[in-house]
Amino acid sequence: MTDHPFTDADFHKSDRSGDVGCVEAAITHHIPEIVGLRDSIHPHSTVLAFSNREWLAFTTGLATTI
């Protein structure tokens, strides 16, 4: 089985999420221009990959809606 780029990544959950399930984000040294996003309740499931530009658009959109 081949490891995917986020196998050894250090995922982080927002401090605002508390103890509730949330999403976690990580940047890997394998592909630093890609941000990974996963479900904290199912950490071994699918990791969504965003380019830096997509991640910036996503987080900017979140900041304007909160």
Side-chain angles (χ1 to χ4, degrees):
M1 180 161 99
T2 304
D3 290 340
H4 63 74
F6 291 96
T7 297
D8 63 350
D10 189 17
F11 280 85
H12 297 277
K13 187 167 62 165
S14 170
D15 293 338
R16 293 183 178 191
S17 64
D19 294 331
V20 185
C22 195
V23 295
E24 300 173 315
I27 297 173
T28 176
H29 70 274
H30 297 287
I31 310 172
E33 65 275 4
I34 299 294
V35 177
L37 198 64
R38 72 179 185 187
D39 182 347
S40 66
I41 294 176
H42 304 286
H44 300 293
S45 288
T46 302
V47 175
L48 301 176
F50 295 91
S51 70
N52 288 333
R53 187 175 183 175
E54 292 169 323
W55 184 251
L56 180 61
F58 175 71
T59 56
T60 299
L62 285 176
T64 61
T65 60
I66 295 178

Short mmCIF file of all heavy atoms in Angstrom, two decimals:
data_model
loop_
_atom_site.label_atom_id
_atom_site.label_comp_id
_atom_site.label_asym_id
_atom_site.label_seq_id
_atom_site.Cartn_x
_atom_site.Cartn_y
_atom_site.Cartn_z
N MET A 1 0.85 -1.18 0.00
CA MET A 1 0.00 0.00 0.00
C MET A 1 0.89 1.25 0.00
O MET A 1 1.82 1.36 0.78
CB MET A 1 -0.92 -0.01 1.22
CG MET A 1 -1.83 1.18 1.29
SD MET A 1 -3.23 0.90 2.38
CE MET A 1 -2.70 1.71 3.84
N THR A 2 0.61 2.19 -0.86
CA THR A 2 1.37 3.42 -0.97
C THR A 2 0.80 4.48 -0.03
O THR A 2 -0.40 4.67 0.04
CB THR A 2 1.33 3.96 -2.41
OG1 THR A 2 1.79 2.93 -3.27
CG2 THR A 2 2.19 5.17 -2.56
N ASP A 3 1.69 5.17 0.67
CA ASP A 3 1.25 6.26 1.55
C ASP A 3 0.85 7.46 0.72
O ASP A 3 1.44 7.74 -0.31
CB ASP A 3 2.38 6.67 2.50
CG ASP A 3 2.67 5.62 3.54
OD1 ASP A 3 1.80 4.78 3.79
OD2 ASP A 3 3.77 5.64 4.10
N HIS A 4 -0.17 8.17 1.17
CA HIS A 4 -0.54 9.40 0.48
C HIS A 4 0.23 10.55 1.12
O HIS A 4 0.83 10.39 2.18
CB HIS A 4 -2.06 9.62 0.48
CG HIS A 4 -2.67 9.79 1.84
ND1 HIS A 4 -2.54 10.95 2.57
CD2 HIS A 4 -3.43 8.98 2.59
CE1 HIS A 4 -3.18 10.83 3.71
NE2 HIS A 4 -3.72 9.64 3.75
N PRO A 5 0.28 11.70 0.48
CA PRO A 5 1.12 12.82 0.95
C PRO A 5 0.82 13.29 2.37
O PRO A 5 1.65 13.92 3.00
CB PRO A 5 0.83 13.94 -0.04
CG PRO A 5 0.25 13.29 -1.22
CD PRO A 5 -0.39 12.02 -0.75
N PHE A 6 -0.36 12.99 2.92
CA PHE A 6 -0.73 13.48 4.25
C PHE A 6 -0.58 12.42 5.34
O PHE A 6 -1.00 12.62 6.46
CB PHE A 6 -2.16 14.04 4.23
CG PHE A 6 -2.26 15.30 3.43
CD1 PHE A 6 -2.67 15.27 2.11
CD2 PHE A 6 -1.91 16.52 3.98
CE1 PHE A 6 -2.74 16.42 1.36
CE2 PHE A 6 -1.97 17.68 3.24
CZ PHE A 6 -2.39 17.63 1.93
N THR A 7 0.06 11.29 5.01
CA THR A 7 0.22 10.22 5.99
C THR A 7 0.91 10.69 7.26
O THR A 7 0.48 10.38 8.36
CB THR A 7 1.02 9.05 5.38
OG1 THR A 7 0.27 8.52 4.29
CG2 THR A 7 1.26 7.95 6.38
N ASP A 8 1.98 11.45 7.14
CA ASP A 8 2.72 11.90 8.32
C ASP A 8 2.47 13.37 8.66
O ASP A 8 3.19 13.96 9.45
CB ASP A 8 4.21 11.68 8.12
CG ASP A 8 4.78 12.47 6.96
OD1 ASP A 8 3.99 13.06 6.19
OD2 ASP A 8 6.01 12.51 6.82
N ALA A 9 1.41 13.94 8.08
CA ALA A 9 1.10 15.35 8.33
C ALA A 9 0.54 15.55 9.73
O ALA A 9 -0.10 14.67 10.30
CB ALA A 9 0.09 15.86 7.30
N ASP A 10 0.80 16.71 10.27
CA ASP A 10 0.31 17.07 11.60
C ASP A 10 -0.95 17.91 11.43
O ASP A 10 -0.88 19.12 11.22
CB ASP A 10 1.40 17.85 12.34
CG ASP A 10 1.07 18.08 13.81
OD1 ASP A 10 0.18 17.38 14.33
OD2 ASP A 10 1.71 18.94 14.42
N PHE A 11 -2.11 17.25 11.52
CA PHE A 11 -3.39 17.94 11.35
C PHE A 11 -3.75 18.71 12.61
O PHE A 11 -3.47 18.27 13.72
CB PHE A 11 -4.50 16.93 11.03
CG PHE A 11 -4.51 16.50 9.60
CD1 PHE A 11 -3.71 15.46 9.17
CD2 PHE A 11 -5.33 17.13 8.68
CE1 PHE A 11 -3.72 15.05 7.85
CE2 PHE A 11 -5.34 16.74 7.36
CZ PHE A 11 -4.53 15.70 6.94
N HIS A 12 -4.39 19.87 12.41
CA HIS A 12 -4.79 20.73 13.52
C HIS A 12 -6.26 21.08 13.41
O HIS A 12 -6.75 21.38 12.33
CB HIS A 12 -3.97 22.03 13.53
CG HIS A 12 -2.52 21.80 13.74
ND1 HIS A 12 -1.98 21.63 14.99
CD2 HIS A 12 -1.50 21.66 12.86
CE1 HIS A 12 -0.69 21.43 14.87
NE2 HIS A 12 -0.37 21.44 13.59
N LYS A 13 -6.93 21.04 14.56
CA LYS A 13 -8.34 21.41 14.65
C LYS A 13 -8.44 22.81 15.24
O LYS A 13 -7.64 23.17 16.10
CB LYS A 13 -9.07 20.38 15.53
CG LYS A 13 -10.56 20.54 15.58
CD LYS A 13 -11.25 19.35 16.19
CE LYS A 13 -10.86 19.09 17.61
NZ LYS A 13 -11.75 18.17 18.31
N SER A 14 -9.40 23.57 14.81
CA SER A 14 -9.59 24.92 15.32
C SER A 14 -9.83 24.90 16.83
O SER A 14 -10.52 24.03 17.35
CB SER A 14 -10.79 25.58 14.63
OG SER A 14 -11.12 26.79 15.28
N ASP A 15 -9.29 25.88 17.52
CA ASP A 15 -9.53 26.02 18.96
C ASP A 15 -11.00 26.31 19.25
O ASP A 15 -11.50 26.02 20.34
CB ASP A 15 -8.68 27.16 19.54
CG ASP A 15 -7.20 26.86 19.50
OD1 ASP A 15 -6.83 25.67 19.43
OD2 ASP A 15 -6.41 27.81 19.54
N ARG A 16 -11.70 26.85 18.29
CA ARG A 16 -13.11 27.19 18.46
C ARG A 16 -14.03 25.98 18.42
O ARG A 16 -15.20 26.08 18.77
CB ARG A 16 -13.55 28.17 17.39
CG ARG A 16 -12.91 29.53 17.52
CD ARG A 16 -13.44 30.45 16.48
NE ARG A 16 -12.88 31.77 16.62
CZ ARG A 16 -13.31 32.82 15.99
NH1 ARG A 16 -14.31 32.70 15.13
NH2 ARG A 16 -12.75 33.99 16.16
N SER A 17 -13.53 24.84 17.98
CA SER A 17 -14.40 23.67 17.82
C SER A 17 -14.66 22.95 19.14
O SER A 17 -15.57 22.14 19.22
CB SER A 17 -13.78 22.69 16.81
OG SER A 17 -12.56 22.20 17.31
N GLY A 18 -13.87 23.19 20.16
CA GLY A 18 -14.07 22.53 21.45
C GLY A 18 -13.85 21.03 21.34
O GLY A 18 -12.98 20.56 20.62
N ASP A 19 -14.68 20.25 22.03
CA ASP A 19 -14.55 18.80 22.02
C ASP A 19 -15.46 18.14 20.99
O ASP A 19 -15.54 16.93 20.92
CB ASP A 19 -14.88 18.24 23.41
CG ASP A 19 -13.86 18.67 24.45
OD1 ASP A 19 -12.70 18.89 24.06
OD2 ASP A 19 -14.22 18.78 25.63
N VAL A 20 -16.13 18.94 20.20
CA VAL A 20 -17.06 18.44 19.20
C VAL A 20 -16.29 18.09 17.93
O VAL A 20 -15.25 18.65 17.65
CB VAL A 20 -18.13 19.51 18.88
CG1 VAL A 20 -19.18 18.97 17.94
CG2 VAL A 20 -18.76 20.02 20.16
N GLY A 21 -16.82 17.15 17.16
CA GLY A 21 -16.19 16.81 15.89
C GLY A 21 -16.11 18.01 14.98
O GLY A 21 -16.94 18.91 15.01
N CYS A 22 -15.08 18.07 14.22
CA CYS A 22 -14.83 19.22 13.37
C CYS A 22 -13.93 18.79 12.23
O CYS A 22 -13.62 17.61 12.08
CB CYS A 22 -14.14 20.31 14.22
SG CYS A 22 -14.15 21.94 13.46
N VAL A 23 -13.50 19.73 11.44
CA VAL A 23 -12.52 19.43 10.41
C VAL A 23 -11.13 19.81 10.91
O VAL A 23 -10.99 20.66 11.80
CB VAL A 23 -12.81 20.15 9.07
CG1 VAL A 23 -14.10 19.64 8.47
CG2 VAL A 23 -12.85 21.64 9.26
N GLU A 24 -10.13 19.15 10.36
CA GLU A 24 -8.74 19.44 10.70
C GLU A 24 -8.00 19.76 9.42
O GLU A 24 -8.29 19.20 8.36
CB GLU A 24 -8.08 18.22 11.34
CG GLU A 24 -8.74 17.76 12.61
CD GLU A 24 -8.17 16.44 13.12
OE1 GLU A 24 -7.98 15.52 12.33
OE2 GLU A 24 -7.93 16.38 14.34
N ALA A 25 -7.04 20.65 9.51
CA ALA A 25 -6.25 21.06 8.34
C ALA A 25 -4.78 20.77 8.58
O ALA A 25 -4.31 20.78 9.72
CB ALA A 25 -6.45 22.54 8.06
N ALA A 26 -4.05 20.52 7.48
CA ALA A 26 -2.61 20.27 7.57
C ALA A 26 -1.92 20.63 6.27
O ALA A 26 -2.52 20.59 5.20
CB ALA A 26 -2.34 18.80 7.89
N ILE A 27 -0.66 20.96 6.41
CA ILE A 27 0.22 21.14 5.26
C ILE A 27 1.31 20.09 5.42
O ILE A 27 1.84 19.90 6.52
CB ILE A 27 0.83 22.56 5.23
CG1 ILE A 27 -0.28 23.59 5.08
CG2 ILE A 27 1.85 22.68 4.11
CD1 ILE A 27 0.18 25.02 5.20
N THR A 28 1.64 19.41 4.36
CA THR A 28 2.65 18.36 4.42
C THR A 28 3.95 18.82 3.77
O THR A 28 3.93 19.63 2.85
CB THR A 28 2.15 17.08 3.73
OG1 THR A 28 3.19 16.11 3.72
CG2 THR A 28 1.71 17.34 2.32
N HIS A 29 5.07 18.31 4.24
CA HIS A 29 6.35 18.68 3.64
C HIS A 29 6.51 18.04 2.27
O HIS A 29 7.33 18.48 1.47
CB HIS A 29 7.52 18.31 4.56
CG HIS A 29 7.77 16.84 4.69
ND1 HIS A 29 7.10 16.07 5.61
CD2 HIS A 29 8.59 16.02 4.01
CE1 HIS A 29 7.51 14.82 5.50
NE2 HIS A 29 8.42 14.76 4.54
N HIS A 30 5.71 17.01 1.96
CA HIS A 30 5.78 16.37 0.65
C HIS A 30 5.32 17.32 -0.46
O HIS A 30 5.91 17.36 -1.53
CB HIS A 30 4.91 15.11 0.60
CG HIS A 30 5.35 14.04 1.53
ND1 HIS A 30 6.49 13.28 1.32
CD2 HIS A 30 4.82 13.61 2.70
CE1 HIS A 30 6.63 12.42 2.31
NE2 HIS A 30 5.62 12.60 3.16
N ILE A 31 4.22 18.04 -0.20
CA ILE A 31 3.65 18.97 -1.18
C ILE A 31 3.20 20.21 -0.41
O ILE A 31 2.03 20.37 -0.10
CB ILE A 31 2.46 18.34 -1.93
CG1 ILE A 31 2.80 16.96 -2.48
CG2 ILE A 31 2.01 19.26 -3.07
CD1 ILE A 31 1.62 16.22 -3.05
N PRO A 32 4.12 21.12 -0.07
CA PRO A 32 3.78 22.27 0.78
C PRO A 32 2.79 23.25 0.17
O PRO A 32 2.21 24.05 0.90
CB PRO A 32 5.13 22.94 1.06
CG PRO A 32 6.04 22.43 0.00
CD PRO A 32 5.52 21.09 -0.43
N GLU A 33 2.57 23.20 -1.13
CA GLU A 33 1.61 24.11 -1.75
C GLU A 33 0.18 23.57 -1.72
O GLU A 33 -0.72 24.18 -2.28
CB GLU A 33 2.03 24.45 -3.19
CG GLU A 33 2.02 23.29 -4.14
CD GLU A 33 3.31 22.45 -4.14
OE1 GLU A 33 4.21 22.71 -3.34
OE2 GLU A 33 3.39 21.53 -4.95
N ILE A 34 -0.03 22.45 -1.02
CA ILE A 34 -1.36 21.85 -0.91
C ILE A 34 -1.76 21.78 0.56
O ILE A 34 -0.96 21.39 1.42
CB ILE A 34 -1.38 20.42 -1.51
CG1 ILE A 34 -1.03 20.46 -2.99
CG2 ILE A 34 -2.73 19.76 -1.30
CD1 ILE A 34 -2.03 21.17 -3.87
N VAL A 35 -2.99 22.17 0.87
CA VAL A 35 -3.54 22.08 2.22
C VAL A 35 -4.52 20.92 2.25
O VAL A 35 -5.38 20.80 1.38
CB VAL A 35 -4.26 23.39 2.62
CG1 VAL A 35 -4.89 23.27 3.99
CG2 VAL A 35 -3.30 24.57 2.57
N GLY A 36 -4.39 20.06 3.25
CA GLY A 36 -5.29 18.92 3.41
C GLY A 36 -6.35 19.22 4.45
O GLY A 36 -6.09 19.88 5.46
N LEU A 37 -7.55 18.72 4.21
CA LEU A 37 -8.67 18.92 5.13
C LEU A 37 -9.33 17.57 5.35
O LEU A 37 -9.59 16.84 4.39
CB LEU A 37 -9.66 19.91 4.50
CG LEU A 37 -10.67 20.58 5.39
CD1 LEU A 37 -9.98 21.47 6.42
CD2 LEU A 37 -11.64 21.40 4.56
N ARG A 38 -9.57 17.21 6.61
CA ARG A 38 -10.19 15.92 6.91
C ARG A 38 -11.17 16.06 8.07
O ARG A 38 -11.16 17.05 8.82
CB ARG A 38 -9.14 14.87 7.24
CG ARG A 38 -8.49 15.08 8.59
CD ARG A 38 -7.47 14.02 8.89
NE ARG A 38 -6.94 14.19 10.24
CZ ARG A 38 -5.94 13.50 10.73
NH1 ARG A 38 -5.34 12.59 9.99
NH2 ARG A 38 -5.53 13.71 11.97
N ASP A 39 -12.00 15.06 8.23
CA ASP A 39 -12.99 14.98 9.31
C ASP A 39 -12.28 14.49 10.57
O ASP A 39 -11.65 13.43 10.56
CB ASP A 39 -14.10 14.01 8.91
CG ASP A 39 -15.21 13.88 9.92
OD1 ASP A 39 -15.06 14.34 11.07
OD2 ASP A 39 -16.24 13.30 9.56
N SER A 40 -12.36 15.23 11.66
CA SER A 40 -11.66 14.84 12.89
C SER A 40 -12.23 13.57 13.52
O SER A 40 -11.53 12.86 14.23
CB SER A 40 -11.68 15.98 13.91
OG SER A 40 -12.99 16.24 14.35
N ILE A 41 -13.49 13.27 13.26
CA ILE A 41 -14.10 12.06 13.80
C ILE A 41 -13.66 10.82 13.02
O ILE A 41 -13.58 9.73 13.56
CB ILE A 41 -15.64 12.18 13.80
CG1 ILE A 41 -16.05 13.29 14.78
CG2 ILE A 41 -16.29 10.87 14.20
CD1 ILE A 41 -17.53 13.57 14.79
N HIS A 42 -13.33 11.00 11.74
CA HIS A 42 -12.90 9.90 10.87
C HIS A 42 -11.54 10.26 10.25
O HIS A 42 -11.44 10.45 9.04
CB HIS A 42 -13.93 9.63 9.78
CG HIS A 42 -15.29 9.35 10.30
ND1 HIS A 42 -15.63 8.16 10.90
CD2 HIS A 42 -16.40 10.11 10.36
CE1 HIS A 42 -16.90 8.20 11.29
NE2 HIS A 42 -17.38 9.38 10.97
N PRO A 43 -10.48 10.32 11.06
CA PRO A 43 -9.19 10.80 10.56
C PRO A 43 -8.53 9.92 9.51
O PRO A 43 -7.64 10.36 8.81
CB PRO A 43 -8.33 10.88 11.82
CG PRO A 43 -8.96 9.94 12.78
CD PRO A 43 -10.43 9.96 12.47
N HIS A 44 -8.98 8.68 9.37
CA HIS A 44 -8.37 7.79 8.37
C HIS A 44 -9.18 7.73 7.09
O HIS A 44 -8.87 6.94 6.19
CB HIS A 44 -8.18 6.40 8.96
CG HIS A 44 -7.29 6.40 10.17
ND1 HIS A 44 -5.96 6.71 10.10
CD2 HIS A 44 -7.56 6.20 11.47
CE1 HIS A 44 -5.43 6.67 11.30
NE2 HIS A 44 -6.38 6.37 12.16
N SER A 45 -10.20 8.57 6.98
CA SER A 45 -11.00 8.65 5.76
C SER A 45 -10.34 9.59 4.76
O SER A 45 -9.19 9.96 4.90
CB SER A 45 -12.41 9.15 6.08
OG SER A 45 -13.12 8.14 6.76
N THR A 46 -11.10 10.02 3.81
CA THR A 46 -10.62 10.86 2.72
C THR A 46 -10.06 12.20 3.21
O THR A 46 -10.61 12.81 4.11
CB THR A 46 -11.79 11.14 1.75
OG1 THR A 46 -12.28 9.89 1.28
CG2 THR A 46 -11.36 11.98 0.58
N VAL A 47 -8.98 12.62 2.60
CA VAL A 47 -8.40 13.95 2.83
C VAL A 47 -8.67 14.77 1.58
O VAL A 47 -8.29 14.38 0.48
CB VAL A 47 -6.89 13.88 3.11
CG1 VAL A 47 -6.30 15.28 3.23
CG2 VAL A 47 -6.61 13.07 4.36
N LEU A 48 -9.35 15.89 1.74
CA LEU A 48 -9.56 16.80 0.62
C LEU A 48 -8.32 17.66 0.46
O LEU A 48 -7.73 18.09 1.45
CB LEU A 48 -10.77 17.70 0.87
CG LEU A 48 -12.11 16.99 1.09
CD1 LEU A 48 -13.18 18.02 1.42
CD2 LEU A 48 -12.50 16.19 -0.13
N ALA A 49 -7.91 17.91 -0.77
CA ALA A 49 -6.70 18.69 -1.03
C ALA A 49 -7.07 19.99 -1.72
O ALA A 49 -7.82 20.01 -2.69
CB ALA A 49 -5.74 17.89 -1.89
N PHE A 50 -6.55 21.09 -1.19
CA PHE A 50 -6.79 22.43 -1.73
C PHE A 50 -5.46 23.08 -2.09
O PHE A 50 -4.50 22.98 -1.33
CB PHE A 50 -7.48 23.32 -0.69
CG PHE A 50 -8.85 22.87 -0.29
CD1 PHE A 50 -9.03 22.00 0.77
CD2 PHE A 50 -9.96 23.32 -0.98
CE1 PHE A 50 -10.30 21.59 1.14
CE2 PHE A 50 -11.24 22.91 -0.62
CZ PHE A 50 -11.41 22.04 0.44
N SER A 51 -5.43 23.79 -3.20
CA SER A 51 -4.25 24.59 -3.52
C SER A 51 -4.22 25.77 -2.53
O SER A 51 -5.22 26.07 -1.88
CB SER A 51 -4.31 25.11 -4.95
OG SER A 51 -5.34 26.09 -5.07
N ASN A 52 -3.08 26.43 -2.44
CA ASN A 52 -3.00 27.60 -1.55
C ASN A 52 -4.03 28.65 -1.92
O ASN A 52 -4.65 29.26 -1.04
CB ASN A 52 -1.60 28.20 -1.59
CG ASN A 52 -0.57 27.35 -0.89
OD1 ASN A 52 -0.91 26.60 0.03
ND2 ASN A 52 0.66 27.45 -1.31
N ARG A 53 -4.25 28.83 -3.21
CA ARG A 53 -5.23 29.82 -3.67
C ARG A 53 -6.66 29.42 -3.26
O ARG A 53 -7.44 30.25 -2.81
CB ARG A 53 -5.12 29.95 -5.19
CG ARG A 53 -5.96 31.04 -5.76
CD ARG A 53 -5.68 31.18 -7.23
NE ARG A 53 -6.44 32.29 -7.76
CZ ARG A 53 -6.36 32.73 -8.97
NH1 ARG A 53 -5.53 32.15 -9.82
NH2 ARG A 53 -7.08 33.73 -9.38
N GLU A 54 -6.98 28.15 -3.43
CA GLU A 54 -8.31 27.66 -3.02
C GLU A 54 -8.49 27.78 -1.51
O GLU A 54 -9.57 28.15 -1.04
CB GLU A 54 -8.50 26.21 -3.46
CG GLU A 54 -8.58 26.01 -4.94
CD GLU A 54 -8.48 24.55 -5.33
OE1 GLU A 54 -7.72 23.79 -4.72
OE2 GLU A 54 -9.20 24.17 -6.29
N TRP A 55 -7.44 27.45 -0.76
CA TRP A 55 -7.52 27.53 0.70
C TRP A 55 -7.74 28.97 1.16
O TRP A 55 -8.54 29.24 2.04
CB TRP A 55 -6.26 26.96 1.33
CG TRP A 55 -6.31 26.93 2.82
CD1 TRP A 55 -5.60 27.71 3.69
CD2 TRP A 55 -7.15 26.11 3.63
NE1 TRP A 55 -5.94 27.41 4.98
CE2 TRP A 55 -6.88 26.43 4.98
CE3 TRP A 55 -8.09 25.12 3.36
CZ2 TRP A 55 -7.53 25.81 6.04
CZ3 TRP A 55 -8.74 24.50 4.43
CH2 TRP A 55 -8.45 24.85 5.74
N LEU A 56 -7.03 29.91 0.54
CA LEU A 56 -7.21 31.32 0.87
C LEU A 56 -8.64 31.78 0.58
O LEU A 56 -9.26 32.45 1.40
CB LEU A 56 -6.22 32.19 0.10
CG LEU A 56 -6.31 33.69 0.36
CD1 LEU A 56 -6.04 34.01 1.82
CD2 LEU A 56 -5.32 34.43 -0.53
N ALA A 57 -9.19 31.37 -0.56
CA ALA A 57 -10.57 31.73 -0.89
C ALA A 57 -11.55 31.12 0.12
O ALA A 57 -12.49 31.78 0.57
CB ALA A 57 -10.91 31.26 -2.30
N PHE A 58 -11.31 29.87 0.50
CA PHE A 58 -12.17 29.18 1.47
C PHE A 58 -12.15 29.87 2.83
O PHE A 58 -13.19 30.19 3.40
CB PHE A 58 -11.71 27.73 1.60
CG PHE A 58 -12.42 26.94 2.65
CD1 PHE A 58 -13.73 26.56 2.50
CD2 PHE A 58 -11.74 26.53 3.80
CE1 PHE A 58 -14.38 25.81 3.48
CE2 PHE A 58 -12.37 25.79 4.77
CZ PHE A 58 -13.70 25.42 4.61
N THR A 59 -10.94 30.14 3.35
CA THR A 59 -10.85 30.75 4.67
C THR A 59 -11.31 32.20 4.68
O THR A 59 -11.88 32.67 5.66
CB THR A 59 -9.40 30.65 5.24
OG1 THR A 59 -8.50 31.24 4.31
CG2 THR A 59 -9.03 29.21 5.49
N THR A 60 -11.11 32.91 3.58
CA THR A 60 -11.61 34.28 3.47
C THR A 60 -13.14 34.27 3.48
O THR A 60 -13.77 35.10 4.14
CB THR A 60 -11.10 34.95 2.18
OG1 THR A 60 -9.67 34.99 2.23
CG2 THR A 60 -11.64 36.36 2.02
N GLY A 61 -13.72 33.31 2.76
CA GLY A 61 -15.17 33.18 2.76
C GLY A 61 -15.72 32.86 4.14
O GLY A 61 -16.75 33.40 4.55
N LEU A 62 -15.03 32.01 4.89
CA LEU A 62 -15.47 31.69 6.25
C LEU A 62 -15.40 32.93 7.14
O LEU A 62 -16.31 33.18 7.93
CB LEU A 62 -14.58 30.60 6.85
CG LEU A 62 -14.78 29.20 6.36
CD1 LEU A 62 -13.76 28.27 7.01
CD2 LEU A 62 -16.19 28.71 6.66
N ALA A 63 -14.34 33.68 7.02
CA ALA A 63 -14.15 34.85 7.87
C ALA A 63 -15.23 35.91 7.63
O ALA A 63 -15.60 36.63 8.55
CB ALA A 63 -12.77 35.46 7.64
N THR A 64 -15.73 35.98 6.41
CA THR A 64 -16.75 36.99 6.11
C THR A 64 -18.16 36.54 6.49
O THR A 64 -19.06 37.35 6.55
CB THR A 64 -16.72 37.39 4.63
OG1 THR A 64 -16.98 36.24 3.83
CG2 THR A 64 -15.38 38.00 4.25
N THR A 65 -18.33 35.23 6.76
CA THR A 65 -19.66 34.73 7.11
C THR A 65 -19.83 34.49 8.61
O THR A 65 -20.92 34.24 9.06
CB THR A 65 -19.98 33.42 6.36
OG1 THR A 65 -19.00 32.43 6.71
CG2 THR A 65 -20.01 33.65 4.87
N ILE A 66 -18.76 34.57 9.35
CA ILE A 66 -18.84 34.29 10.80
C ILE A 66 -19.08 35.56 11.56
O ILE A 66 -18.68 36.59 11.32
CB ILE A 66 -17.58 33.58 11.29
CG1 ILE A 66 -17.49 32.21 10.62
CG2 ILE A 66 -17.56 33.45 12.78
CD1 ILE A 66 -16.25 31.41 10.98
#
